[in-house]
Amino acid sequence: MSVLPPEVHSALGLLLQGLQSPDNNTRAHAEEQLNNEWIVARADVLLMGLVEQIKGAQDAGPRSFAAVLFRRIATKTRKVFDSDESKDLFIALQYAQQEAIRQKLLETLQNESLPHVRHKIGDAVAEVARQYCDQGQVWQELLQALFNLSMSQDAGQRELAFRIFATTPAIIEKQHEDNVIPAFTKGFQDGNIEVRTAAMEAFSSFFASLQKKSQKKYYRLVPELLNVLPPLKQAGDADGLMKALIALIELAEEAPVMFKPLFHSLVQFSIAVIQDKDLGDTVRQNALELMGTFADYSPAMCKKDSSFASDMVTQCLSLMTDVGVDDDDASEWNNTDDLEAEESNMNHVAGEQCMDRLANKLGGQTILPSTFTWLPQMMISNTWRDRHAALMAISAISEGCRELMEGELDQVLDLVIPALRHPHPRVRWAGCNALGQMSTDFAGTMQEKYHQVVLTNIIPVLNSPEPRIQSHAAAALVNFCEEAERATLEPYLDQLLNHLMRLLESPKRYVQEQALSTIATIADSAETAFGKYYGTLMPLLFGVLREEQSKEYRLLRAKAMECATLIALAVGKERMGQDAIDLVQLLGSIQEKITDADDPQSSYLLHCWGRMCRVLGSGFIPYLSGVMPPLLALAGAKADIQLLDDEDQINNVQQEEGWELVPLKGKVIGIKTSTLEDKHMAIELIVIYAQQLEAAFAPYVLEIMEKVSLPGLAFFFHDPVRIASAKSVPMLLNAYKRANGERSPAMARLWETTIGKILEVLSAEPAIDTLAEMYQCFYESVEVLGKDCLTSAHMQAFVESAKSTLEDYQIRVRKRREEQQEIEDGEDESDETAIAIEDDQTLLSDMNKAFHTIFKNQETSFLPAWARLLPFYDAFVASNDSTQRQWALCILDDVLEFCGDQSWSYQNHIQQPLVAGMRDPVPANRQAACYGVGIAAQKGGASWSTFTRESLHALFAACQLPNAREDDHVFATENACASIAKIMSSPHCRVPNAQEVIGPWIATLPVENDEEAAPYAYTYLAKLIDESNPAVLAVADKVFLAIVSAIEAETLQGQNAQRAVNAAKRVVQLARLDLNQLKSRLRPETQQTIRLHFL
């Protein structure tokens, strides 16, 4: 029975007809009517009317359309009745209205008989359920209705129940979790194949919604879950098998260990699917992806499986031979100019990508034996596809297998190099690809040891008859040359540039473009050695830039601009002479003629201006007025964000490049990332200008700060924009300071605005890695402003932010510890966890630098605010986490260094951490503690004298550890040595029996690594020599060599070095050392140092 009058249904029926009309005008009028007369004025009537249309319409079409429209309308945002709060439209209705509508909606769900209409109604129900879940509310009747449907005699209804569970798993409350296992078990065993796959999808979604602790109880469902798979394969049901595999992929991402008891069986099944060509490429790739997911999330389990590595490598290589179908001679491949043709859904690409993942996750020990079982025979195969696959496999695994492969590069190159001369073009292309990838993955080694092998073999490939091979060989040279030193490239420059210049005459534009990119890279690496070719190349580039060309040549001209400006950077302003000015003017002329928004020259130009600024320095200032307006327009761009209401809008946006779609509470948000990437690039270029031009850039600073950099700190749509903005702020402050003076009123006004915004984002930034950048922005900005630039309010605000940051950090650490306890034996720490730990360490490090900078510039005035954080230091110094101990020790060192005798007020928080720190097994912590004791002696005043004297024993112990001189420990050792010197030099310490300490201290020398510690140690040593101390003269030869070591290592510079040399000469004199005899036992380098300074 309808609750709405007939005239409402009549009007609504006409509206629905209009919305479906093929006539654009009729449809537009109906949309306007829908928005103005229904959604705004009577949304409750509209939704109830749609539900009744679903229930009462005779034809399936109107019922289906009404269900789709209901879901679309329900998700719109509107103000809540009697409130300023905005919510989704359905949940914003009054409760009685909601109740009536949802009751009718459930009735339609249970009574609809046509599957496709039922699915649309199910989507509408799921949307309403989502809104309740998001608000923390319960739709009591729904859960019972779904359980009833899951037990229905109608397979379609059973499937529908699981479809809704899959969409909104949060409807299953904790108190109902125990009822879920029987329901899912029954679903996995259902006689209908579609119900079984729907149950798998629902279980995957439900499982992902659970807390980690709650997931384990559902591991017992895995056998029944996997039993769904074989019948799907046997029936050749590709669509069902695809859905099932996707559900398993999602489960493998969540809890791979749940499959451990049956993992080998699952591997064998997946391999069988990958091998079965009758199932189609998509399903085979899904099975491959499932195995790749296990490699990503549980490499240990994959390594332990007896056949995983060998089977997977075999199948990947097999898929990789599935290339060039119906194009055996590569004629079609050769003749296409579309080098970016979409291939991501092809088998050979799937195989390559999976090989890359296997190598990175399982490592060379696991992957290389299986791979090289096949590669040698594939490389001598008469089938070109086998050789192509083998070469692409080398490209794919070289990064992950770097450590093991690096020692075998001779043999690997023996396989790859002959491919460059193979008659089939795709084999030669793959050979170039392998060399290019290896040049990146084995950067340094390839360039230093194998430059002759690589360059003498790949340069001739530039003469290949096929343009695609020419282009790819040139691209491989980019990889090689960008990692090469100037001296490595210099002997080959003639050959390289002669061949590349010939490519500039190619009829294929993409070959010309690649040749320009390669020349630019060579110029960048060869630096001034490129000057020899300047006179030949630059006129050619000027010719390209001056020539008026049609649209299709715009990218070529952009590449020419890039090449010309990189050459300019390489050879410098003096070599360019007037050409530098001519090039800038030419770039300006090109910029004036750009009218199209999609012209690639625009973005290239921005980078070109940045390079020419670096070339010309202050000579670039006259051109800023032309450069800055387009740069500021990009840097100040707002985020282009769209709320996408329906599938048509989503599909339209997906067709366009440069958009990212983000699901959010049942809606889809479209973000135009291309705009944000341009904004990020523009801000990075602003950093270059401010850095290079300093005071000359000041006229732009206020506008950029106001409209770009400070708003950019809170630009939460794009992390890179926030990071670039954070890097720009100190540079802009410095430019303004250079122009206006550190203490000028104008500088003070800018600083007050800036520091306020920085402190604000320290409390608001949600991303840990970006928050570290914000702390860096803070301390670099404080460094620019210098002494006493922070008020008490600033310091209190900083400490408040730091306190919140540290509390959040402790929560993350505690959560990771709990998760670690849940990890079963053999299960690996996830990549996400490793990255999170690294991000936290970076954050603590940048926070440390921020505290250091404040103490350095504010000294004791920071102590009252800082003292609020003492509970954190007390907790961190006692932590089992060495990073936390180090963080606390370093800041306690700052208190000692910059607060003088006032640091004694906190001795109860400092002494014990330093004592424990000197015995810390972690060398970085030992170094911090030893340094702190020395600083206490040097700057802490008389109050610290007893403590520092009593610390001598621990400092000597730190110097006498068995591994004290190993690379990881030597800085701690040298800091202990310097701290002993500081204590012995302090007028407050007055060490009793000092002479008994001096001899053992001399044995702790030399200090030849730590440039900060060395001056203190050698200043004290020089003092002892000046006093003709008997302990020094007793071991005069050792003292002399300790000084020589520091001079040779250059840990002493300037006056410190000269004073040490003079002291060493005095030792020679006092002890009558025979230097010729002494140096004869030493290394040639040390002999040379002695000859240079003492003979």
Side-chain angles (χ1 to χ4, degrees):
M1 177 180 171
S2 173
V3 298
L4 298 177
E7 59 269 20
V8 171
H9 277 295
S10 176
L12 189 56
L14 290 172
L15 176 68
L16 296 181
Q17 289 177 18
L19 290 171
Q20 297 175 84
S21 171
D23 180 71
N24 289 339
N25 292 331
T26 303
R27 201 166 59 252
H29 175 71
E31 285 283 356
E32 185 179 348
Q33 192 180 10
L34 171 68
N35 288 320
N36 297 332
E37 298 178 19
W38 292 88
I39 295 175
V40 173
R42 43 181 180 169
D44 57 326
V45 175
L46 172 62
L47 291 180
M48 179 59 84
L50 289 172
V51 174
E52 294 195 338
Q53 286 283 327
I54 298 169
K55 184 177 181 182
Q58 295 298 312
D59 295 331
R63 296 204 306 275
S64 178
F65 181 70
V68 171
L69 189 60
F70 179 96
R71 181 174 179 273
R72 176 183 150 195
I73 301 301
T75 62
K76 289 187 176 292
T77 304
R78 67 174 289 179
K79 290 278 177 65
V80 181
F81 181 72
D82 284 342
S83 170
D84 290 333
E85 186 183 1
S86 291
K87 291 184 179 179
D88 290 317
L89 190 146
F90 179 85
I91 207 73
L93 297 176
Q94 295 182 45
Y95 186 77
Q97 296 169 343
Q98 296 176 28
E99 192 173 28
I101 293 168
R102 75 190 190 204
Q103 182 180 345
K104 285 272 187 183
L105 190 60
L106 275 186
E107 290 174 10
T108 65
L109 182 73
Q110 293 162 329
N111 296 331
E112 179 58 54
S113 58
L114 294 179
H116 72 280
V117 179
R118 193 159 50 207
H119 288 168
K120 300 296 184 188
I121 300 170
D123 292 340
V125 169
E127 171 55 33
V128 172
R130 179 198 64 78
Q131 293 186 25
Y132 279 117
C133 291
D134 288 348
Q135 295 297 319
Q137 298 178 28
V138 179
W139 184 359
Q140 294 284 6
E141 307 91 340
L142 175 61
L143 195 56
Q144 187 58 52
L146 292 181
F147 276 120
N148 291 341
L149 286 174
S150 72
M151 305 295 175
S152 169
Q153 296 299 310
D154 183 342
Q157 289 191 335
R158 297 198 301 276
E159 181 197 3
L160 180 63
F162 287 115
R163 278 173 58 92
I164 295 174
F165 278 134
T167 307
T168 319
I171 60 178
I172 305 173
E173 297 179 275
K174 288 184 179 178
Q175 62 264 36
H176 298 296
E177 284 181 2
D178 291 337
N179 299 325
V180 168
I181 291 178
F184 277 122
T185 301
K186 193 170 186 301
F188 298 149
Q189 296 172 348
D190 198 283
N192 183 281
I193 204 164
E194 292 180 348
V195 175
R196 294 201 297 274
T197 54
M200 286 189 75
E201 292 175 306
F203 178 72
S204 171
S205 181
F206 167 70
F207 189 86
S209 72
L210 298 172
Q211 296 288 328
K212 287 285 183 187
K213 289 181 179 178
S214 301
Q215 289 179 343
K216 284 191 174 182
K217 70 173 77 168
Y218 297 97
Y219 284 13
R220 57 182 155 143
L221 287 174
V222 169
E224 296 293 347
L225 180 80
L226 295 183
N227 283 338
V228 176
L229 298 174
L232 290 168
K233 182 178 183 297
Q234 290 162 11
D237 184 353
D239 185 57
L241 191 52
M242 178 184 70
K243 291 177 181 177
L245 288 169
I246 291 172
L248 289 178
I249 290 166
E250 292 168 353
L251 288 168
E253 290 174 351
E254 279 291 324
V257 74
M258 71 190 290
F259 295 95
K260 188 175 181 180
L262 294 170
F263 183 61
H264 186 69
S265 299
L266 182 55
V267 172
Q268 296 306 301
F269 176 83
S270 300
I271 295 298
V273 172
I274 299 168
Q275 291 173 321
D276 192 340
K277 295 182 180 180
D278 292 336
L279 288 169
D281 292 345
T282 302
V283 174
R284 296 171 69 201
Q285 289 176 27
N286 288 146
L288 187 76
E289 175 63 26
L290 175 60
M291 293 295 99
T293 302
F294 277 112
D296 287 341
Y297 289 89
S298 187
M301 192 163 72
C302 296
K303 288 178 187 178
K304 289 178 182 177
D305 186 82
S306 59
S307 65
F308 182 89
S310 59
D311 284 349
M312 281 298 292
V313 165
T314 301
Q315 294 312 310
C316 286
L317 291 172
S318 176
L319 288 170
M320 289 164 67
T321 63
D322 192 3
V323 61
V325 179
D326 301 326
D327 188 29
D328 196 60
D329 62 356
S331 57
E332 182 182 335
W333 179 85
N334 273 326
N335 292 328
T336 183
D337 287 355
D338 182 11
L339 306 190
E340 304 297 327
E342 179 59 45
E343 290 190 331
S344 61
N345 61 344
M346 293 187 176
N347 284 341
H348 70 94
V349 175
E352 291 163 19
Q353 292 174 345
C354 192
M355 281 291 283
D356 176 68
R357 291 162 72 182
L358 294 175
N360 276 296
K361 294 299 179 181
L362 306 188
Q365 294 277 12
T366 301
I367 292 302
L368 283 178
S370 301
T371 304
F372 277 87
T373 298
W374 291 102
L375 290 197
Q377 54 188 299
M378 292 176 76
M379 284 303 303
I380 59 173
S381 169
N382 292 326
T383 303
W384 72 262
R385 290 182 179 86
D386 289 346
R387 297 194 185 212
H388 183 277
L391 291 162
M392 296 306 290
I394 290 171
S395 299
I397 67 173
S398 59
E399 179 187 8
C401 301
R402 176 188 169 100
E403 287 186 16
L404 288 181
M405 285 180 69
E406 196 158 23
E408 306 295 332
L409 283 180
D410 291 289
Q411 292 91 322
V412 177
L413 287 169
D414 285 345
L415 291 176
V416 174
I417 293 297
L420 300 177
R421 298 183 291 274
H422 193 274
H424 199 283
R426 296 201 71 163
V427 174
R428 276 179 279 132
W429 185 96
C432 293
N433 196 79
L435 282 183
Q437 192 63 51
M438 290 168 67
S439 296
T440 298
D441 294 335
F442 306 108
T445 304
M446 282 284 282
Q447 286 76 6
E448 292 167 18
K449 291 182 65 176
Y450 298 102
H451 55 85
Q452 184 175 11
V453 174
V454 174
L455 292 176
T456 57
N457 281 285
I458 202 167
I459 289 173
V461 184
L462 296 170
N463 290 332
S464 294
E466 304 90 354
R468 288 196 72 167
I469 309 301
Q470 295 172 345
S471 174
H472 209 51
L477 282 167
V478 168
N479 291 37
F480 184 89
C481 294
E482 66 186 359
E483 301 291 347
E485 297 294 330
R486 167 184 163 179
T488 299
L489 288 181
E490 209 161 349
Y492 304 97
L493 289 178
D494 282 347
Q495 293 180 67
L496 281 166
L497 292 166
N498 287 336
H499 282 78
L500 290 167
M501 286 170 68
R502 280 199 290 273
L503 293 188
L504 293 176
E505 301 168 5
S506 169
K508 295 289 187 181
R509 197 166 60 252
Y510 68 80
V511 175
Q512 297 173 355
E513 291 165 0
Q514 182 59 63
L516 286 170
S517 292
T518 307
I519 291 169
T521 302
I522 292 170
D524 195 36
S525 295
E527 298 172 330
T528 53
F530 201 84
K532 174 182 174 183
Y533 310 94
Y534 178 86
T536 305
L537 268 168
M538 196 58 93
L540 287 175
L541 297 172
F542 269 81
V544 174
L545 296 178
R546 287 187 174 122
E547 190 176 336
E548 290 293 334
Q549 294 172 331
S550 53
K551 278 189 175 183
E552 61 266 25
Y553 286 93
R554 294 188 307 194
L555 181 58
L556 179 67
R557 188 150 68 163
K559 295 278 188 182
M561 288 190 285
E562 176 185 56
C563 187
T565 51
L566 279 168
I567 290 173
L569 264 182
V571 302
K573 180 169 63 174
E574 288 72 21
R575 175 66 180 84
M576 287 193 77
Q578 181 59 35
D579 281 353
I581 304 302
D582 292 345
L583 179 56
V584 170
Q585 292 174 345
L586 187 51
L587 295 175
S589 173
I590 293 169
Q591 179 168 287
E592 289 173 0
K593 295 174 184 175
I594 293 175
T595 56
D596 296 340
D598 63 346
D599 192 332
Q601 294 176 113
S602 296
S603 59
Y604 276 80
L605 258 172
L606 292 174
H607 288 290
C608 291
W609 289 128
R611 292 186 199 107
M612 293 312 296
C613 177
R614 290 161 64 190
V615 172
L616 292 174
S618 59
F620 189 74
I621 295 169
Y623 306 101
L624 274 178
S625 59
V627 170
M628 291 304 295
L631 185 66
L632 290 175
L634 280 180
K638 306 297 182 186
D640 189 349
I641 298 172
Q642 294 185 20
L643 178 62
L644 307 175
D645 281 327
D646 56 45
E647 292 181 7
D648 289 339
Q649 287 180 308
I650 294 170
N651 290 334
N652 289 337
V653 169
Q654 282 178 324
Q655 310 269 326
E656 296 183 39
E657 287 187 13
W659 283 84
E660 179 182 351
L661 301 184
V662 181
L664 182 67
K665 293 188 175 181
K667 301 180 179 66
V668 174
I669 306 293
I671 302 174
K672 193 166 188 180
T673 53
S674 57
T675 302
L676 305 185
E677 287 157 6
D678 289 344
K679 182 181 178 77
H680 168 231
M681 174 190 68
I683 299 172
E684 285 191 321
L685 289 168
I686 284 171
V687 173
I688 291 174
Y689 292 134
Q691 190 175 31
Q692 294 291 320
L693 301 177
E694 293 192 317
F697 196 67
Y700 300 96
V701 167
L702 293 180
E703 180 184 0
I704 293 170
M705 278 290 207
E706 179 187 352
K707 297 180 179 178
V708 177
S709 294
L710 295 183
L713 295 177
F715 194 83
F716 295 113
F717 302 106
H718 198 57
D719 291 0
V721 166
R722 299 204 302 287
I723 292 170
S725 298
K727 291 188 183 304
S728 72
V729 168
M731 294 299 173
L732 293 168
L733 287 171
N734 182 62
Y736 205 69
K737 182 180 82 169
R738 298 282 183 187
N740 293 279
E742 187 174 309
R743 302 299 176 191
S744 67
M747 190 73 225
R749 287 192 296 272
L750 176 61
W751 175 238
E752 188 58 33
T753 304
T754 304
I755 187 61
K757 186 64 178 179
I758 296 172
L759 290 169
E760 182 183 314
V761 298
L762 289 182
S763 298
E765 174 55 55
I768 306 307
D769 55 342
T770 310
L771 181 57
E773 298 283 351
M774 297 302 161
Y775 274 98
Q776 184 176 340
C777 172
F778 170 84
Y779 70 72
E780 288 181 353
S781 298
V782 172
E783 283 282 22
V784 171
L785 271 291
K787 282 285 183 186
D788 299 320
C789 64
L790 298 173
T791 66
S792 175
H794 293 153
M795 290 184 280
Q796 290 291 350
F798 173 83
V799 165
E800 191 61 39
S801 296
K803 180 173 178 288
S804 175
T805 299
L806 291 171
E807 287 169 347
D808 291 344
Y809 165 75
Q810 289 178 320
I811 291 169
R812 291 193 298 274
V813 169
R814 188 160 56 248
K815 185 177 178 184
R816 284 198 292 266
R817 193 180 300 122
E818 290 169 359
E819 289 175 354
Q820 188 68 31
Q821 291 170 355
E822 295 292 317
I823 291 178
E824 299 190 8
D825 291 341
E827 193 176 352
D828 300 275
E829 179 181 84
S830 70
D831 286 348
E832 289 81 1
T833 300
I835 292 169
I837 291 171
E838 186 177 339
D839 285 345
D840 271 333
Q841 289 174 342
T842 303
L843 173 61
L844 289 181
S845 174
D846 280 310
M847 288 183 74
N848 237 332
K849 292 171 186 173
F851 279 102
H852 173 82
T853 304
I854 300 176
F855 272 120
K856 175 183 169 185
N857 288 285
Q858 300 295 141
E859 298 178 341
T860 56
S861 67
F862 183 46
L863 284 173
W866 170 81
R868 292 169 56 200
L869 300 176
L870 280 170
F872 291 100
Y873 300 113
D874 293 342
F876 281 17
V877 292
S879 170
N880 291 326
D881 184 341
S882 63
T883 302
Q884 293 184 20
R885 298 199 301 277
Q886 183 184 7
W887 185 82
L889 284 167
C890 287
I891 296 178
L892 296 177
D893 287 352
D894 289 330
V895 174
L896 290 164
E897 183 168 1
F898 298 111
C899 298
D901 56 6
Q902 288 194 36
S903 62
W904 181 251
S905 302
Y906 304 96
Q907 52 95 10
N908 289 334
H909 301 275
I910 296 175
Q911 286 190 4
Q912 187 52 41
L914 292 183
V915 170
M918 287 186 285
R919 298 192 298 266
D920 199 303
V922 177
N925 296 350
R926 206 161 59 248
Q927 177 182 343
C930 292
Y931 175 81
V933 172
I935 283 293
Q938 185 185 9
K939 299 191 175 183
S943 300
W944 286 98
S945 58
T946 302
F947 171 76
T948 53
R949 281 198 306 270
E950 291 173 352
S951 297
L952 282 170
H953 178 75
L955 290 170
F956 275 112
C959 294
Q960 293 159 1
L961 293 170
N963 53 2
R965 287 285 164 185
E966 291 179 6
D967 288 347
D968 289 342
H969 295 264
V970 70
F971 280 87
T973 302
E974 292 183 351
N975 269 269
C977 167
S979 289
I980 296 170
K982 291 174 185 176
I983 294 169
M984 299 297 289
S985 302
S986 170
H988 302 292
C989 292
R990 297 189 183 89
V991 176
N993 305 317
Q995 200 60 35
E996 296 176 12
V997 177
I998 292 171
W1001 174 75
I1002 292 172
T1004 69
L1005 294 167
V1007 178
E1008 53 189 0
N1009 294 276
D1010 194 319
E1011 295 178 8
E1012 292 185 17
Y1016 296 106
Y1018 286 100
T1019 297
Y1020 178 59
L1021 182 62
K1023 175 176 174 291
L1024 295 176
I1025 293 170
D1026 288 344
E1027 295 169 351
S1028 301
N1029 190 286
V1032 172
L1033 299 180
V1035 286
D1037 56 341
K1038 292 180 181 178
V1039 168
F1040 175 77
L1041 291 178
I1043 295 173
V1044 170
S1045 293
I1047 299 297
E1048 183 183 342
E1050 298 183 344
T1051 51
L1052 292 172
Q1053 301 283 333
Q1055 292 182 347
N1056 289 321
Q1058 189 57 53
R1059 185 176 182 191
V1061 167
N1062 294 338
K1065 288 178 179 177
R1066 181 161 172 76
V1067 166
V1068 171
Q1069 211 173 20
L1070 291 171
R1072 302 179 185 276
L1073 295 177
D1074 184 343
L1075 293 188
N1076 287 312
Q1077 183 181 7
L1078 188 62
K1079 75 181 179 66
S1080 64
R1081 308 194 303 265
L1082 305 175
R1083 297 180 301 115
E1085 296 86 351
T1086 309
Q1087 292 183 27
Q1088 177 60 25
T1089 301
I1090 292 174
R1091 276 194 295 270
L1092 184 63
H1093 293 282
F1094 303 103
L1095 293 176

